[in-house]
Amino acid sequence: MKVTHSLFTLSAIAAALSLATNVTAKETVHHNQHSKMTAEKLATKLVKEMTINERLSLLVGPGYGVDGTNALKSVSGTAGYINGVLNSDSGIDLPAAVLSDGPAGIRIDPTRDDDSATYYATGFPVGTLLASTWDPKLVKKIGKAVGQEAYAYGVDFWLAPGMNIQRDPLNGRNFEYFSEDPLVTAKIAEAEIDGVQSQGVGVTIKHFVANNSETNRMNVDNIISPRALREIYLRGFEDTVENADPWALMTSYNKVNGTYTSQRYDLITQILRGEWGFSGLVMSDWYAGDSAVAQTKAGNDLIQPGGTNLVSGEAQLSALEAAYEAGELDEKVITANAIHIVTQMIKTPSYARVTPSNTPDLDAHATLSKEVAEAGMVLLKNNGSALPIASGTNVASFGIAQYTTRKGGTGSGDVNSDHVIDIADGLASQFTVDSTLQSLYSTWYTNNRTTESDSLGVSTTYYCDELSLTDAQISQAAEDDDIAVISISRVAGEGNDRTATEGDYLLSEDESNLISQVSTAFHEKDKKVVVVLNIPGVIDTASWRDNVDAILLAYMPGQEAGYAIADILSGETNPSGKLAQTFPMDYQDVPSASSFAGVDTDGDGTIDTNYYDDGILVGYRYYTTNDVEVAYPFGYGLSYTKFAYSHPVVQLNSVGNKGKKGHLKLKVTVANTGDTAGQEVAQVYISAPQNGLTKPRYELKAFAKTHTLRPGGKQTLHFTIPTRWLASFDAANHQWVVASGMYKAYISPSSDVSDIAPLTFRVKKAVIIPATEGALDLPAGIQTNATGGILVP
Ligand code: BGC
């Protein structure tokens, strides 16, 4: 291609966009409000001015740990760059863009060589806790804060949020994800994205799609019915693309139905772009897939981190260049992908030549981190009003987790915060903590802790065995103190799945003994026992919960962990979080328990294939449809006050009247009937007529959280359900269908709707929404059951 010098150079584009050096965040935001069309037009013009090699260089990252071409700054500890282009002939001066993880904050190195300044970021609560707030407005604030930190540190794209469905409790990365349900996933993600992108920084929703386990994650082939993909695994991404306009999306490591997701044209080009209208850039996960050419042709615009693919050994840029030279990679494809990338790059702070301030407001964000941590903790049990514990009470604090407190998980989801408040410090800030026990624990911890790196070498974690106390020591505490608090923690992280064994899904023997010993001693004295769970996700509770009076599920609550936990225990904050995932009675009850995390089909000793035999019956969809008893249902969470629901009404029903555009509107009044101020989350579950498709008994279709209601206070909550959320996927006819007929709606405090009288409404005319024929089809010979579960061959 002949390179002509054009008047329409990047600097002209910059001028056209009113950009200048040292542009403020506000100005960049303003710039980002330019229509998509403008950015795309400018990008198109620009890409057309580039040589073919420049275009190709945009499609592959510079390599891990290498600054991108034309990087204006080097941000230590970022995950990667998008190469820029600098060409004095054409006048093109496109700076490299900086990419950082995600999702619990901005992951960069806290210190830099030959630099005395520090670059700590706020450790926010993990994704699962954010979802448990059921409070998009609050989550948007987290997004804004993350966006501000990214902007301050010179980061252009945040590699988050993680939007995979929590199919099985043992997925090692569940903590990074939101929920077992696509609606919660979508609404929380959209709020966070709005917040981040309001600051002029892009998000990268990930991992598209069905990255629901870590075992052999770079190669596992997930065999999933098109119906389960559409209704469960893709649905949250789809809604988010429609409503939040994410700048970027990351494809996943795994294969789906035989092909790497990053190499699937039907997934990326036909569904994501074609059906959903995604206009952002698509990047691969780090070293994913095995063919740069296949990725490029599929529409995976950007290959990360670039250089040589560690798994396949392929030098990716050379592979693309060779394919182009050989006529196997069309210039049109290269150009289209480059335009997708540049359209987003020209929105970034790097493009606007923003000088990083490197001074985010860490104090304000610490306050926000704590506020959100408290809003997402879930009170699972509170017998005999064990909680709240009056401030100043004598507390006996047990469990080494009060020192090994986990702010978040390991791997790329870790954040380098400048502090973590452990549970011991948190309790001491509100209560009179038993000093004898305290010194036993702290001495034990100091003498026995070990430091380990995670399997990727990204995070360093402290471990320490549980301290065995004698019966006499525990009895003394029961004598001296008013209440026992036992803390239990778990670590999880990228690269490994969890196990259904003692010390992970089950309590370790030491933890079980501790709970029994402490409960016996304190109950003998008529004193209460509280357990705090500082964990990444679901663990067994059914086997030990009867021994204790209260259980606070704190998840991984970010850097202010201890203070946030103490605020809930003391009643300074009334818990209002609810589960966005089910706690089953037994791991074996989990619908995917028999298939997770796959099988070794070729006998080489490595798991290679994961048959999704649970189909659309994931999480509560399975338990409620099959009447399987659970320990704590999806949507459940206690409060220190009580709420009553009244006047549930279907206010408007235009579903079926206006094609896709109709809506269902409902409302309910929630009153605080207890004597403490608090917030309540109400959920709308809808039971749809089967009409030829077997469906879950009911599914979550809307939710809303009250503001803080004082005792006696009331609020009317409004719910709007777009027609699209009422559709099921008819795989045989490759279309979405909202069936005609009678529907039931339960407005309920949790997914247990057994006490709720349903409202009814009728859809007079079915609504059909066509989808791409043949997309994501199962490999030949694979059959499914009526709810899209794979019949394992
Ligand atoms: C993870 C991604 C992450 C990327 C860059 C990968 O190993 O799967 O979630 O964004 O690394 O750090």
Side-chain angles (χ1 to χ4, degrees), residues 118 120 173 213 283 293 303 306 312 330 334 378 513 520 552 570 631 633 655 720 753:
T118 55
Y120 288 103
R173 290 185 90 171
S213 56
M283 72 178 79
V293 172
I303 298 166
S312 64
D330 197 331
I334 298 168
V378 184
N513 290 342
T520 307
L552 175 64
S570 71
V655 179
T720 300
V753 302

PDB file of all heavy atoms in Angstrom, residues 118 120 173 213 283 293 303 306 312 330 334 378 513 520 552 570 631 633 655 720 753:
ATOM      1  N   THR A 118       5.383   6.354  45.827  1.00  0.00           N
ATOM      2  CA  THR A 118       4.664   5.083  45.829  1.00  0.00           C
ATOM      3  C   THR A 118       3.418   5.206  44.963  1.00  0.00           C
ATOM      4  O   THR A 118       2.908   6.302  44.732  1.00  0.00           O
ATOM      5  CB  THR A 118       4.250   4.675  47.262  1.00  0.00           C
ATOM      6  OG1 THR A 118       3.510   5.746  47.831  1.00  0.00           O
ATOM      7  CG2 THR A 118       5.462   4.344  48.108  1.00  0.00           C
ATOM      8  N   TYR A 120       0.418   3.086  45.249  1.00  0.00           N
ATOM      9  CA  TYR A 120      -0.576   2.148  45.768  1.00  0.00           C
ATOM     10  C   TYR A 120      -1.950   2.470  45.196  1.00  0.00           C
ATOM     11  O   TYR A 120      -2.243   3.619  44.865  1.00  0.00           O
ATOM     12  CB  TYR A 120      -0.635   2.229  47.296  1.00  0.00           C
ATOM     13  CG  TYR A 120       0.580   1.616  47.940  1.00  0.00           C
ATOM     14  CD1 TYR A 120       1.599   2.416  48.449  1.00  0.00           C
ATOM     15  CD2 TYR A 120       0.713   0.232  48.006  1.00  0.00           C
ATOM     16  CE1 TYR A 120       2.722   1.856  49.028  1.00  0.00           C
ATOM     17  CE2 TYR A 120       1.837  -0.339  48.577  1.00  0.00           C
ATOM     18  CZ  TYR A 120       2.838   0.476  49.089  1.00  0.00           C
ATOM     19  OH  TYR A 120       3.946  -0.090  49.644  1.00  0.00           O
ATOM     20  N   ARG A 173     -11.948 -18.663  40.354  1.00  0.00           N
ATOM     21  CA  ARG A 173     -12.057 -17.211  40.145  1.00  0.00           C
ATOM     22  C   ARG A 173     -13.454 -16.678  40.424  1.00  0.00           C
ATOM     23  O   ARG A 173     -13.748 -15.538  40.063  1.00  0.00           O
ATOM     24  CB  ARG A 173     -11.651 -16.846  38.717  1.00  0.00           C
ATOM     25  CG  ARG A 173     -10.181 -17.001  38.455  1.00  0.00           C
ATOM     26  CD  ARG A 173      -9.809 -16.515  37.065  1.00  0.00           C
ATOM     27  NE  ARG A 173      -9.449 -15.108  37.064  1.00  0.00           N
ATOM     28  CZ  ARG A 173      -8.913 -14.494  36.011  1.00  0.00           C
ATOM     29  NH1 ARG A 173      -8.703 -15.157  34.883  1.00  0.00           N
ATOM     30  NH2 ARG A 173      -8.593 -13.219  36.068  1.00  0.00           N
ATOM     31  N   SER A 213     -14.231 -22.231  34.929  1.00  0.00           N
ATOM     32  CA  SER A 213     -13.346 -23.068  35.738  1.00  0.00           C
ATOM     33  C   SER A 213     -11.917 -22.715  35.353  1.00  0.00           C
ATOM     34  O   SER A 213     -11.676 -22.111  34.308  1.00  0.00           O
ATOM     35  CB  SER A 213     -13.621 -24.558  35.481  1.00  0.00           C
ATOM     36  OG  SER A 213     -13.504 -24.845  34.105  1.00  0.00           O
ATOM     37  N   MET A 283     -10.301  -7.939  22.627  1.00  0.00           N
ATOM     38  CA  MET A 283      -8.916  -8.424  22.809  1.00  0.00           C
ATOM     39  C   MET A 283      -8.938  -9.837  23.365  1.00  0.00           C
ATOM     40  O   MET A 283      -9.913 -10.255  24.002  1.00  0.00           O
ATOM     41  CB  MET A 283      -8.122  -7.488  23.733  1.00  0.00           C
ATOM     42  CG  MET A 283      -8.487  -7.541  25.188  1.00  0.00           C
ATOM     43  SD  MET A 283      -7.438  -6.445  26.206  1.00  0.00           S
ATOM     44  CE  MET A 283      -8.162  -4.841  25.898  1.00  0.00           C
ATOM     45  N   VAL A 293      -3.730 -15.861  13.317  1.00  0.00           N
ATOM     46  CA  VAL A 293      -4.500 -15.627  12.094  1.00  0.00           C
ATOM     47  C   VAL A 293      -5.970 -15.960  12.327  1.00  0.00           C
ATOM     48  O   VAL A 293      -6.871 -15.198  11.963  1.00  0.00           O
ATOM     49  CB  VAL A 293      -3.911 -16.449  10.916  1.00  0.00           C
ATOM     50  CG1 VAL A 293      -4.817 -16.366   9.698  1.00  0.00           C
ATOM     51  CG2 VAL A 293      -2.504 -15.947  10.581  1.00  0.00           C
ATOM     52  N   ILE A 303      -4.492  -9.022  19.967  1.00  0.00           N
ATOM     53  CA  ILE A 303      -3.955 -10.230  20.596  1.00  0.00           C
ATOM     54  C   ILE A 303      -3.001  -9.801  21.704  1.00  0.00           C
ATOM     55  O   ILE A 303      -2.062  -9.046  21.466  1.00  0.00           O
ATOM     56  CB  ILE A 303      -3.249 -11.100  19.536  1.00  0.00           C
ATOM     57  CG1 ILE A 303      -4.281 -11.528  18.483  1.00  0.00           C
ATOM     58  CG2 ILE A 303      -2.567 -12.302  20.175  1.00  0.00           C
ATOM     59  CD1 ILE A 303      -3.688 -12.101  17.230  1.00  0.00           C
ATOM     60  N   GLY A 306       0.864 -10.253  23.267  1.00  0.00           N
ATOM     61  CA  GLY A 306       1.675 -10.134  22.057  1.00  0.00           C
ATOM     62  C   GLY A 306       3.040 -10.763  22.244  1.00  0.00           C
ATOM     63  O   GLY A 306       3.304 -11.436  23.242  1.00  0.00           O
ATOM     64  N   SER A 312       1.412 -21.798  22.339  1.00  0.00           N
ATOM     65  CA  SER A 312       1.598 -22.395  21.007  1.00  0.00           C
ATOM     66  C   SER A 312       3.010 -22.175  20.469  1.00  0.00           C
ATOM     67  O   SER A 312       3.418 -22.816  19.508  1.00  0.00           O
ATOM     68  CB  SER A 312       0.590 -21.792  20.023  1.00  0.00           C
ATOM     69  OG  SER A 312       0.862 -20.413  19.872  1.00  0.00           O
ATOM     70  N   ASP A 330      -6.880 -11.210   4.590  1.00  0.00           N
ATOM     71  CA  ASP A 330      -7.369 -10.109   3.772  1.00  0.00           C
ATOM     72  C   ASP A 330      -7.074  -8.754   4.420  1.00  0.00           C
ATOM     73  O   ASP A 330      -7.268  -8.567   5.615  1.00  0.00           O
ATOM     74  CB  ASP A 330      -8.894 -10.302   3.654  1.00  0.00           C
ATOM     75  CG  ASP A 330      -9.476  -9.502   2.516  1.00  0.00           C
ATOM     76  OD1 ASP A 330      -8.906  -8.450   2.185  1.00  0.00           O
ATOM     77  OD2 ASP A 330     -10.495  -9.956   1.969  1.00  0.00           O
ATOM     78  N   ILE A 334      -7.799  -6.878   8.345  1.00  0.00           N
ATOM     79  CA  ILE A 334      -6.775  -6.159   9.127  1.00  0.00           C
ATOM     80  C   ILE A 334      -7.251  -4.726   9.400  1.00  0.00           C
ATOM     81  O   ILE A 334      -7.189  -4.221  10.522  1.00  0.00           O
ATOM     82  CB  ILE A 334      -5.427  -6.152   8.363  1.00  0.00           C
ATOM     83  CG1 ILE A 334      -4.942  -7.588   8.181  1.00  0.00           C
ATOM     84  CG2 ILE A 334      -4.401  -5.284   9.068  1.00  0.00           C
ATOM     85  CD1 ILE A 334      -3.782  -7.738   7.201  1.00  0.00           C
ATOM     86  N   VAL A 378     -23.259 -10.341  54.072  1.00  0.00           N
ATOM     87  CA  VAL A 378     -24.556 -10.992  54.212  1.00  0.00           C
ATOM     88  C   VAL A 378     -24.648 -11.662  55.579  1.00  0.00           C
ATOM     89  O   VAL A 378     -23.800 -12.494  55.928  1.00  0.00           O
ATOM     90  CB  VAL A 378     -24.759 -12.052  53.099  1.00  0.00           C
ATOM     91  CG1 VAL A 378     -26.160 -12.650  53.195  1.00  0.00           C
ATOM     92  CG2 VAL A 378     -24.523 -11.443  51.720  1.00  0.00           C
ATOM     93  N   ASN A 513     -12.890 -28.313  65.055  1.00  0.00           N
ATOM     94  CA  ASN A 513     -12.642 -28.478  66.496  1.00  0.00           C
ATOM     95  C   ASN A 513     -12.805 -27.162  67.230  1.00  0.00           C
ATOM     96  O   ASN A 513     -13.390 -27.104  68.308  1.00  0.00           O
ATOM     97  CB  ASN A 513     -11.225 -29.014  66.755  1.00  0.00           C
ATOM     98  CG  ASN A 513     -11.114 -30.453  66.309  1.00  0.00           C
ATOM     99  OD1 ASN A 513     -12.129 -31.133  66.131  1.00  0.00           O
ATOM    100  ND2 ASN A 513      -9.890 -30.929  66.099  1.00  0.00           N
ATOM    101  N   THR A 520     -19.197 -25.150  72.768  1.00  0.00           N
ATOM    102  CA  THR A 520     -19.520 -25.869  74.004  1.00  0.00           C
ATOM    103  C   THR A 520     -19.243 -24.974  75.212  1.00  0.00           C
ATOM    104  O   THR A 520     -20.114 -24.790  76.072  1.00  0.00           O
ATOM    105  CB  THR A 520     -18.671 -27.158  74.102  1.00  0.00           C
ATOM    106  OG1 THR A 520     -18.857 -27.872  72.893  1.00  0.00           O
ATOM    107  CG2 THR A 520     -19.078 -28.025  75.271  1.00  0.00           C
ATOM    108  N   LEU A 552     -21.769 -14.267  59.957  1.00  0.00           N
ATOM    109  CA  LEU A 552     -21.647 -13.114  59.063  1.00  0.00           C
ATOM    110  C   LEU A 552     -20.757 -13.511  57.892  1.00  0.00           C
ATOM    111  O   LEU A 552     -19.584 -13.844  58.072  1.00  0.00           O
ATOM    112  CB  LEU A 552     -21.026 -11.912  59.791  1.00  0.00           C
ATOM    113  CG  LEU A 552     -20.753 -10.709  58.881  1.00  0.00           C
ATOM    114  CD1 LEU A 552     -22.044 -10.137  58.314  1.00  0.00           C
ATOM    115  CD2 LEU A 552     -19.972  -9.626  59.628  1.00  0.00           C
ATOM    116  N   SER A 570     -21.077  -4.627  65.299  1.00  0.00           N
ATOM    117  CA  SER A 570     -21.503  -3.719  66.370  1.00  0.00           C
ATOM    118  C   SER A 570     -22.855  -3.077  66.084  1.00  0.00           C
ATOM    119  O   SER A 570     -23.418  -2.401  66.932  1.00  0.00           O
ATOM    120  CB  SER A 570     -20.477  -2.601  66.562  1.00  0.00           C
ATOM    121  OG  SER A 570     -20.541  -1.718  65.453  1.00  0.00           O
ATOM    122  N   ALA A 631     -28.922 -24.606  51.914  1.00  0.00           N
ATOM    123  CA  ALA A 631     -28.585 -24.040  53.232  1.00  0.00           C
ATOM    124  C   ALA A 631     -29.063 -22.593  53.302  1.00  0.00           C
ATOM    125  O   ALA A 631     -29.735 -22.185  54.251  1.00  0.00           O
ATOM    126  CB  ALA A 631     -27.081 -24.132  53.479  1.00  0.00           C
ATOM    127  N   PRO A 633     -30.678 -19.726  50.457  1.00  0.00           N
ATOM    128  CA  PRO A 633     -31.042 -19.546  49.055  1.00  0.00           C
ATOM    129  C   PRO A 633     -30.478 -18.273  48.430  1.00  0.00           C
ATOM    130  O   PRO A 633     -30.194 -17.297  49.131  1.00  0.00           O
ATOM    131  CB  PRO A 633     -32.577 -19.485  49.082  1.00  0.00           C
ATOM    132  CG  PRO A 633     -32.946 -19.109  50.465  1.00  0.00           C
ATOM    133  CD  PRO A 633     -31.806 -19.542  51.378  1.00  0.00           C
ATOM    134  N   VAL A 655     -46.106  -5.929  27.229  1.00  0.00           N
ATOM    135  CA  VAL A 655     -45.325  -7.019  26.636  1.00  0.00           C
ATOM    136  C   VAL A 655     -46.158  -7.674  25.539  1.00  0.00           C
ATOM    137  O   VAL A 655     -47.309  -8.034  25.763  1.00  0.00           O
ATOM    138  CB  VAL A 655     -44.938  -8.069  27.700  1.00  0.00           C
ATOM    139  CG1 VAL A 655     -44.137  -9.200  27.066  1.00  0.00           C
ATOM    140  CG2 VAL A 655     -44.186  -7.420  28.837  1.00  0.00           C
ATOM    141  N   THR A 720     -38.959  -2.310  36.404  1.00  0.00           N
ATOM    142  CA  THR A 720     -39.304  -2.320  34.977  1.00  0.00           C
ATOM    143  C   THR A 720     -38.610  -3.510  34.336  1.00  0.00           C
ATOM    144  O   THR A 720     -37.398  -3.674  34.474  1.00  0.00           O
ATOM    145  CB  THR A 720     -38.810  -1.022  34.292  1.00  0.00           C
ATOM    146  OG1 THR A 720     -39.451   0.072  34.942  1.00  0.00           O
ATOM    147  CG2 THR A 720     -39.160  -1.006  32.820  1.00  0.00           C
ATOM    148  N   VAL A 753     -39.786 -18.294  47.325  1.00  0.00           N
ATOM    149  CA  VAL A 753     -41.029 -17.525  47.171  1.00  0.00           C
ATOM    150  C   VAL A 753     -42.215 -18.263  47.799  1.00  0.00           C
ATOM    151  O   VAL A 753     -43.364 -17.935  47.539  1.00  0.00           O
ATOM    152  CB  VAL A 753     -41.323 -17.229  45.678  1.00  0.00           C
ATOM    153  CG1 VAL A 753     -40.163 -16.466  45.058  1.00  0.00           C
ATOM    154  CG2 VAL A 753     -41.595 -18.505  44.892  1.00  0.00           C
TER     155      VAL A 753
END
